[in-house]
Amino acid sequence: MGARPRLDDVAARVGVSTASVSLVLRGEPGPSAETRRRVLEAAAELGYRADRAASLLARRRRHLLGVLLDVRNPFHAELVDAIHAEADRIGYEVVLSTLATGRDEERAVASLLDFRCEAMLLLGPDLPSARLAELAAQVAVVAVGRRDDAVDSVRSADDAGVAAALDHLIGLGHSDIAFVDGGRGAVAAARRRGYRAAVRRAGLTARVVPGDHTEQGGIRAGRALLAAADRPTAVVASNDRCAVGLQDALVRAGLDVPGDVSIVGYDDSTLARLVHVDLTSVDQDARAQARHAVAAAVERLDGGRTRRREVVLTPRLVVRGSTGPAAAR
């Protein structure tokens, strides 16, 4: 028996993108009438059928929500806790698949497919849009923390969150405010864009320091700032883990936070709330994100919704002890 046809097989037969094929098979607007006809004919000829459609037609419901998360990310842990509570309330079970050292997103997604989850809630995914479209043709997919036209999404307005951090620091007299980048992922890119836009509106000079969404990335950024001749008076980090690493590097070097340098994180995770960290951070409202993400998945599974949904929540800044007035120069 040959391998079961995949979404990219249909796309190759027609000569269009997998995203276009996914839109046709989900009945969403975009492709022309001619493209729709050719895609449907190719799908029929190849015998392509999405797993989710087949299971629903056969009425073999599993009521499983698969969740992809980074096991090292404390904010993801909070999201999962809230997702579990919401899923329990409506009679769904949750299957977890984690990112870890040596285990990437494709492998984590494959595990959820193996469990035959009816929907996937992907926390901060970095998969290409075409791959998300392919998954969405098989199961309901919700991207949490990232906007993508291929799937439903639930996220906070990262530009507004970073702008709130900048406004707070500017109000404290800071004018030299650096940003520790979160790396190449989609979430990091959104926050980087938010920082650049906010400093531009304020008439300040952007200063982006390489980093990533780990404590080690923050430590490296801290060492780079310590070696610079013109150290900033304030720094916004792309997430809390990075901010905590940055804080560690500066304090170990003998600097006072916030006396010498103010630091703002992003996520308002459990790390930020520790008394010895006391990090000013942007709260994304994990419980609201979890509630909307579960609702988006279930509306497709139980309510028959086909159009893409995007939920954008307004984040809020939680001020703690890591920020203070700008140090005199």
Side-chain angles (χ1 to χ4, degrees), residues 195-280:
Y195 165 77
R196 291 190 182 279
V199 295
R200 198 162 49 241
R201 286 193 300 271
L204 304 179
T205 301
R207 184 174 179 179
V208 178
V209 182
D212 59 39
H213 280 166
T214 69
E215 292 84 356
Q216 285 301 316
I219 290 171
R220 289 192 298 271
R223 290 171 179 166
L225 290 173
L226 288 167
D230 54 341
R231 188 177 66 236
T233 63
V235 184
V236 178
S238 189
N239 78 345
D240 284 350
R241 292 179 64 196
C242 180
V244 168
L246 170 68
Q247 186 178 40
D248 182 78
L250 298 184
V251 171
R252 286 178 185 274
L255 296 185
D256 179 70
V257 176
D260 296 312
V261 181
S262 288
I263 299 175
V264 179
Y266 204 110
D267 286 342
D268 193 32
S269 65
T270 51
L271 280 175
R273 301 169 213 152
L274 295 174
V275 67
H276 65 285
V277 176
D278 203 25
L279 181 68
T280 296

Side-chain angles (χ1 to χ4, degrees), residues 297-318:
V298 172
E299 283 169 7
R300 284 192 180 273
L301 297 174
D302 296 342
R305 178 174 60 82
T306 58
R307 290 188 177 276
R308 191 183 74 87
R309 167 167 292 181
E310 180 180 18
V311 177
V312 183
L313 303 173
T314 302
R316 66 184 182 92
L317 186 70
V318 180

Side-chain angles (χ1 to χ4, degrees), residues 77-288:
E78 293 185 47
L79 282 169
V80 168
D81 185 61
I83 287 169
H84 264 295
E86 189 65 19
D88 284 345
R89 187 183 67 80
I90 60 175
Y92 274 76
E93 294 292 333
V94 174
V95 175
L96 303 181
S97 189
T98 60
L99 304 181
T101 302
R103 182 180 169 86
D104 63 11
E105 286 188 322
E106 282 292 354
R107 185 173 171 189
V109 163
S111 293
L112 296 178
L113 291 174
D114 288 343
F115 272 100
R116 294 177 58 202
C117 296
E118 288 186 307
M120 290 188 195
L121 310 185
L122 309 180
L123 310 188
D126 288 325
L127 289 169
S129 183
R131 178 57 174 146
L132 291 178
E134 181 177 351
L135 291 172
Q138 301 176 66
V139 297
V141 176
V142 183
V144 181
R146 164 186 168 183
R147 182 188 188 281
D148 195 285
D149 289 336
V151 296
D152 292 333
S153 62
V154 177
R155 62 184 178 88
S156 72
D158 285 323
D159 54 346
V162 176
L166 265 291
D167 288 345
H168 168 65
L169 293 170
I170 292 169
L172 291 170
H174 296 275
S175 58
D176 188 356
I177 306 170
F179 179 77
V180 179
D181 192 23
R184 294 187 292 180
V187 174
R191 293 175 188 175
R192 182 170 58 250
R193 287 193 300 271
Y195 165 77
R196 291 190 182 279
V199 295
R200 198 162 49 241
R201 286 193 300 271
L204 304 179
T205 301
R207 184 174 179 179
V208 178
V209 182
D212 59 39
H213 280 166
T214 69
E215 292 84 356
Q216 285 301 316
I219 290 171
R220 289 192 298 271
R223 290 171 179 166
L225 290 173
L226 288 167
D230 54 341
R231 188 177 66 236
T233 63
V235 184
V236 178
S238 189
N239 78 345
D240 284 350
R241 292 179 64 196
C242 180
V244 168
L246 170 68
Q247 186 178 40
D248 182 78
L250 298 184
V251 171
R252 286 178 185 274
L255 296 185
D256 179 70
V257 176
D260 296 312
V261 181
S262 288
I263 299 175
V264 179
Y266 204 110
D267 286 342
D268 193 32
S269 65
T270 51
L271 280 175
R273 301 169 213 152
L274 295 174
V275 67
H276 65 285
V277 176
D278 203 25
L279 181 68
T280 296
S281 186
V282 178
D283 179 11
Q284 298 192 70
D285 197 343
R287 295 209 168 273

